[in-house]
Amino acid sequence: TQYPKGFFDEVLKQLIVPAGVQAGFKVETANKKGSDVIQSTIINDLCNADLVICDLTDHNPNALFELGWRIAIDRPVALIRAKGTSAIFDVDHMLRVYDYNSCLWRSTLEHDIPALTEHIQATWGGRDSDKSYRKILMTH
C-alpha cells in the first residue's frame, strides 16, 4: 500500500462519516469491538445495511469480496477511491465511482464532502433501478 498506517481511518472520520451523515444516514463500520467472529459481523452488516460505502483504493481483496456480496444481493453500494487509483475493469465500466482527494486537507474536504454526499444520495436514489449491476448482468 502507498498510504500510511491510519489513512483509511482518517478517510472514514474526515470524509465518509460527514458525507454519510449529511446524506441522511447513520454511519457504522464493521470494525467493532467484542468477541464476535469478524467475518460473521461483516456478512451480517453487508446483508442488513441500507447502503454500503466501498473504498476501492487499495484493490483490497476483502473489499472486492464485500462488493461482490453486495452486488449479488442487489443492495445499494456507493463506490469510492482515492484519485489516481487504477481502474478495476469489471467495476469501472459498469458502476459510478467517486474519486476523492487523498490529501484530506480542509480545502479538499470542503469539496469532497458535498460531492460524496451527492454520490451517496444518488446511489440511494437509484436503489430500485432496473439498471443495477446485478440486473444488467442477469438479463444478458
Side-chain angles (χ1 to χ4, degrees):
T1 180
Q2 66 181 15
Y3 297 98
K5 183 177 172 119
F7 172 77
F8 292 103
D9 290 334
E10 288 300 310
V11 171
L12 175 65
K13 287 190 289 189
Q14 303 301 328
L15 177 61
I16 295 172
V17 170
V21 169
Q22 286 182 27
F25 290 91
K26 177 183 172 190
V27 180
E28 297 180 359
T29 177
N31 296 334
K32 298 173 184 157
K33 304 287 185 222
S35 60
D36 290 350
V37 175
I38 187 65
Q39 292 86 349
S40 175
T41 300
I42 290 169
I43 294 299
N44 283 303
D45 286 353
L46 285 171
C47 290
N48 296 323
D50 291 329
L51 182 134
V52 167
I53 297 175
C54 180
D55 192 330
L56 302 171
T57 299
D58 265 352
H59 293 197
N60 180 306
N62 292 338
L64 294 172
F65 169 80
E66 294 157 10
L67 171 60
W69 190 280
R70 253 331 249 204
I71 288 170
I73 63 172
D74 205 21
R75 301 288 309 271
V77 58
L79 302 177
I80 65 172
R81 66 178 169 217
K83 287 180 183 171
T85 300
S86 60
I88 300 172
F89 176 80
D90 292 338
V91 175
D92 289 70
H93 296 290
M94 295 291 287
L95 299 168
R96 271 188 46 216
V97 182
Y98 179 75
D99 293 302
Y100 62 87
N101 191 314
S102 63
C103 293
L104 301 174
W105 296 332
R106 178 176 289 151
S107 59
T108 62
L109 289 168
E110 287 173 359
H111 171 266
D112 280 334
I113 291 170
L116 179 55
T117 300
E118 287 180 28
H119 181 63
I120 292 167
Q121 290 171 329
T123 300
W124 181 247
R127 69 189 178 279
D128 295 324
S129 171
D130 293 349
K131 297 193 178 1
S132 73
Y133 193 75
R134 182 176 180 270
K135 289 175 185 158
I136 289 169
L137 293 176
M138 298 296 287
T139 60
H140 286 50

